[in-house]
Amino acid sequence: MVYALDKDENALETMRLIYPNLQTISVDLANWEETKRAVESIGFVDYLVNNAGINHQKPFLDITPQDFQIMFDVNLRSIIAVSQVVAKRMIENEKGGSIVNISSTSAKTTQPDFCLYSSTKSGVNMLTKSMAVELSPYNIRVNCICPSFMETGLVEDRMMRLRSQPNGFLQSRALIKRFIQPEEAADLVLFLLSPLASMITGSEYLIDGGVSTN
């Protein structure tokens, strides 16, 4: 049984159309208590992917307390809220488990207006390591992936701008001259969740077409 949690009812409906057997729960992951209740209703979980994330781009000098709160609530605190419930159930079940957190290359490098986003994703990377250390006695592995620009509807406008720049992101930095497809990131996640990665925990995996190399 696979569950998906999201605040966006339209996104959940789309997922149900594509994957009829998917179980969906509508929940605001920025709300700690609501999130915990939703996850507790699921029962035992063997594999967890923490993929909630937003990016409200704003210059450092213009950041407000509200900007800070929502970005950290969704991008970082929600991982703790969800993972605490799941990890406790994994421990109770005595079968171990695997958790993958979705971070970003912005955890390693940043750019103008990415102050909050990069800060939250750096937090995800270190949270991943801390979770791996503390959960390892229970045979629970925790890793994260750090994708660069992925071709999704959420960043469609930005993709078009990047493609139009003759000396921009793809042309000047990426060794593989295209954006990441969601399926390619999903393949890496599935590998890390699977027994094939049984000796991997506390690790960060870049998937960026060579951007960080160049």
Side-chain angles (χ1 to χ4, degrees):
M1 186 74 70
V2 178
Y3 288 83
L5 282 65
D6 201 311
K7 182 180 178 180
D8 188 342
E9 290 278 8
N10 292 329
L12 292 174
E13 178 61 27
T14 299
M15 285 189 280
R16 284 194 296 267
L17 291 172
I18 299 172
Y19 306 106
N21 294 326
L22 180 70
Q23 303 297 307
T24 61
I25 299 176
S26 177
V27 60
D28 181 2
L29 290 163
N31 185 313
W32 178 277
E33 295 301 332
E34 183 182 335
T35 297
K36 289 225 166 190
R37 285 194 297 270
V39 180
E40 285 168 353
S41 72
I42 295 173
F44 290 111
V45 175
D46 297 307
Y47 307 103
L48 169 64
V49 179
N50 286 303
N51 191 35
I54 57 174
N55 184 7
H56 295 167
Q57 298 175 31
K58 185 173 282 191
F60 166 73
L61 295 176
D62 295 335
I63 292 171
T64 66
Q66 292 76 22
D67 296 326
F68 179 93
Q69 192 70 53
I70 189 61
M71 287 284 285
F72 273 82
D73 281 354
V74 175
N75 291 5
L76 188 59
R77 196 174 75 155
S78 70
I79 295 178
I80 298 175
V82 173
S83 299
Q84 280 183 342
V85 176
V86 170
K88 287 176 182 178
R89 293 285 176 81
M90 287 177 173
I91 294 168
E92 182 183 346
N93 205 26
E94 298 183 343
K95 293 183 179 179
S98 183
I99 299 172
V100 175
N101 299 323
I102 308 302
S103 184
S104 168
T105 52
S106 293
K108 304 284 191 180
T109 61
T110 192
Q111 56 187 298
D113 302 340
F114 269 54
C115 175
L116 284 178
Y117 185 72
S118 291
S119 297
T120 62
K121 291 304 184 179
S122 293
V124 171
N125 285 22
M126 189 51 67
L127 175 63
T128 298
K129 293 179 182 297
S130 298
M131 289 170 62
V133 169
E134 296 195 27
L135 297 177
S136 62
Y138 308 103
N139 194 31
I140 299 171
R141 298 183 298 104
V142 189
N143 295 286
C144 70
I145 71 165
C146 302
S148 182
F149 288 107
M150 216 171 345
E151 196 142 13
T152 69
L154 292 175
V155 291
E156 188 173 350
D157 291 342
R158 185 169 179 82
M159 293 292 182
M160 292 178 65
R161 291 196 301 272
L162 289 169
R163 283 196 183 93
S164 67
Q165 297 170 359
N167 297 307
F169 171 83
L170 276 180
Q171 291 76 14
S172 64
R173 294 189 59 194
L175 300 181
I176 301 174
K177 306 297 184 183
R178 63 176 177 81
F179 295 114
I180 303 162
Q181 297 301 309
E183 295 82 4
E184 293 170 315
D187 285 343
L188 179 55
V189 169
L190 288 172
F191 166 73
L192 291 171
L193 290 175
S194 78
L196 293 173
S198 60
M199 278 299 289
I200 299 174
T201 193
S203 296
E204 309 163 358
Y205 281 85
L206 289 167
I207 174 169
D208 65 355
V211 170
S212 58
T213 302
N214 195 17

